[in-house]
Amino acid sequence: MSRLRRFLLVSALVAGAVLLVVGTWLVAARVQSPAQREAAAAPPSAGPVTVAVTRGDLTEQTTVLATAVRSESVTVAVPTPIEGQGVVTRSAAAAGDSVSSGGVIVWVNSRPVIALRGEFALYRDLYLGARGDDVRMIQQALADLGYAVGADGELGTATAAAIRELYRSVGAQAPQGSEGSSAGAVAAEPTPSAEPTAVASQGQQVLVLPASEVIIVPTLPAVLTSVPATGTAVDGEATATFSTQEITLTATVPPAIQARLTAGLAGTATLQGQDMSMDVAVAQVNSPQQDALSPTQQEQEDAADSAEASVILRASSGQIPDEWVGHSDVLVTLNLSEPVLDALLVPQRAVSADVNGVTTVLVEQKDGSFTQVVVTELGCVAGTCAVDAEDGTLTEDMSVRVDG
């Protein structure tokens, strides 16, 4: 065999071997065993998950729309004159006016009807020497006005003198008629030395304060919201309505929020469309009433769950502006928990506590390792916690581990 043919034969054999090796490698690369395929499909080993520490305020808030109203309203009957019929002969105050204790509301049959603060309406005319809770109430009202009167429940000469002075202050003369005479009659005033027992012993009682000339209002000063006009008949049905000067905010909230509200809870109120806000606080929470007519307990519970509660809020300081009254677009933002201001914030998952209640976080170091740092938990809201650590062991340029 010639040298050329031997060379070609050897070259062919080498090329065939190379092709066999390459083909085998290609087949092995493309064809995998089940174990190889499972290993290739498995996810890579998970590394530690970290979240950066931030600094900010931790607040838990809710917002409601409220209506500004006068906080309390009371309607009081204008007393009927002793004659049994009367008419408003003169107006002394108009709707919207502020009325203080000792002020005249209207004049009926040309006699004043004086507003005094008290708990119940006068049910009798008061004569010198009268005793009782009604006398004590009038004495307390006089004392509140600055008169030197003790609330002992007995209408003596000092109380009578204070009542006469009250009448003078409103431009009228106190009635001094004897029992059975007209309440409007004016008699000579008894001397200060006259004692109630002495007057009574003479068989003639001296009228000091007719029930028809006093209108008792539970809270004064108050704003007069309605009053009988001049010419109105006073026959037991004429009334005056008073609202306290304090303005409050009323709102309705769902049961889930109502359960979080307590008296004193702070917030901020803003009249929409105006650049004016003020601090307010929850004064009262009125729970919704269950429907007693529901045939089953379950229906009562379902009704209670869907019912809304009413909330009353007052200004934390000062007064809610008068121009807010009647507006139903007052936006109130309530802090459901005490805000934590300017604190380090971390995910709640990063904080762990041991059996002794010591709370810690794992802080990532520059080399990728983690150090356990003791922290004080200041509060948590919606998966975020405010924490504090001593000696700068935790700062906002660090990261904490959240996966274990």
Side-chain angles (χ1 to χ4, degrees):
M1 182 180 296
S2 66
R3 179 179 299 177
L4 178 59
R5 295 186 65 182
R6 284 198 302 270
F7 174 77
L8 292 175
L9 179 61
V10 171
S11 297
L13 291 173
V14 172
V18 171
L19 289 174
L20 180 63
V21 171
V22 171
T24 302
W25 178 83
L26 289 174
V27 171
R30 292 180 176 274
V31 179
Q32 295 181 330
S33 68
Q36 290 175 320
R37 287 196 295 271
E38 183 177 351
S45 299
V49 179
T50 61
V51 174
V53 179
T54 60
R55 179 175 290 277
D57 300 337
L58 185 70
T59 58
E60 184 180 14
Q61 298 177 327
T62 188
T63 57
V64 296
L65 280 177
T67 302
V69 296
R70 300 284 177 186
S71 63
E72 182 180 343
S73 179
V74 60
T75 299
V76 184
V78 177
T80 304
I82 195 171
E83 299 91 338
Q85 59 182 0
V87 64
V88 176
T89 54
R90 193 196 321 172
S91 296
D97 289 349
S98 177
V99 176
S100 299
S101 186
V104 177
I105 304 302
V106 291
W107 293 72
V108 175
N109 294 356
S110 299
R111 294 292 300 169
V113 177
I114 303 173
L116 290 176
R117 188 174 66 85
E119 294 75 32
F120 53 86
L122 280 187
Y123 53 87
R124 61 172 176 169
D125 296 336
L126 296 181
Y127 291 84
L128 198 62
R131 295 180 176 86
D133 291 333
D134 50 354
V135 175
R136 184 176 291 105
M137 178 179 67
I138 295 299
Q139 288 174 325
Q140 185 59 59
L142 292 169
D144 292 342
L145 290 173
Y147 294 102
V149 174
D152 59 3
E154 180 175 355
L155 205 164
T157 54
T159 302
I163 292 175
R164 290 194 299 272
E165 184 58 35
L166 174 62
Y167 270 89
R168 290 192 188 99
S169 70
V170 300
Q173 190 170 3
Q176 295 292 321
S178 61
E179 185 174 17
S181 66
S182 173
V186 178
E189 298 178 359
T191 61
S193 61
E195 294 298 328
T197 54
V199 175
S201 65
Q202 297 172 5
Q204 187 181 23
Q205 290 183 300
V206 176
L207 179 61
V208 177
L209 186 62
S212 62
E213 296 185 4
V214 176
I215 185 168
I216 299 296
V217 184
T219 303
L220 290 172
V223 174
L224 190 63
T225 56
S226 70
V227 61
T230 300
T232 302
V234 178
D235 52 7
E237 295 186 0
T239 61
T241 303
F242 301 83
S243 294
T244 57
Q245 293 194 27
E246 181 186 22
I247 300 171
T248 60
L249 301 175
T250 61
T252 56
V253 296
I257 298 299
Q258 177 230 334
R260 304 288 307 278
L261 301 183
T262 57
L265 198 67
T268 303
T270 304
L271 180 60
Q272 296 191 59
Q274 293 191 13
D275 187 19
M276 180 179 181
S277 300
M278 65 183 314
D279 294 333
V280 295
V282 173
Q284 183 177 340
V285 181
N286 300 316
S287 301
Q289 297 295 323
Q290 290 188 352
D291 185 3
L293 299 179
S294 296
T296 67
Q297 180 66 28
Q298 183 62 47
E299 289 181 1
Q300 290 186 29
E301 292 176 358
D302 293 343
D305 290 340
S306 61
E308 292 187 324
S310 63
V311 180
I312 299 176
L313 305 106
R314 290 190 171 95
S316 299
S317 61
Q319 171 80 315
I320 295 174
D322 289 339
E323 54 266 30
W324 287 23
V325 174
H327 282 272
S328 300
D329 56 349
V330 180
L331 183 65
V332 178
T333 302
L334 290 172
N335 297 316
L336 296 180
S337 59
E338 187 68 24
V340 182
L341 306 179
D342 193 29
L344 295 174
L345 304 179
V346 299
Q348 191 169 7
R349 291 182 57 189
V351 183
S352 60
D354 61 20
V355 293
N356 297 317
V358 178
T359 52
T360 59
V361 294
L362 290 175
V363 180
E364 186 176 22
Q365 305 300 305
K366 292 182 179 180
D367 60 2
S369 63
F370 291 88
T371 300
Q372 192 173 50
V373 173
V374 176
V375 296
T376 300
E377 188 178 288
L378 305 177
C380 296
V381 173
T384 299
C385 293
V387 298
D388 186 27
E390 297 181 354
D391 303 327
T393 51
L394 183 67
T395 60
E396 56 189 299
D397 58 348
M398 298 180 176
S399 296
V400 291
R401 187 167 180 171
V402 296
D403 62 336

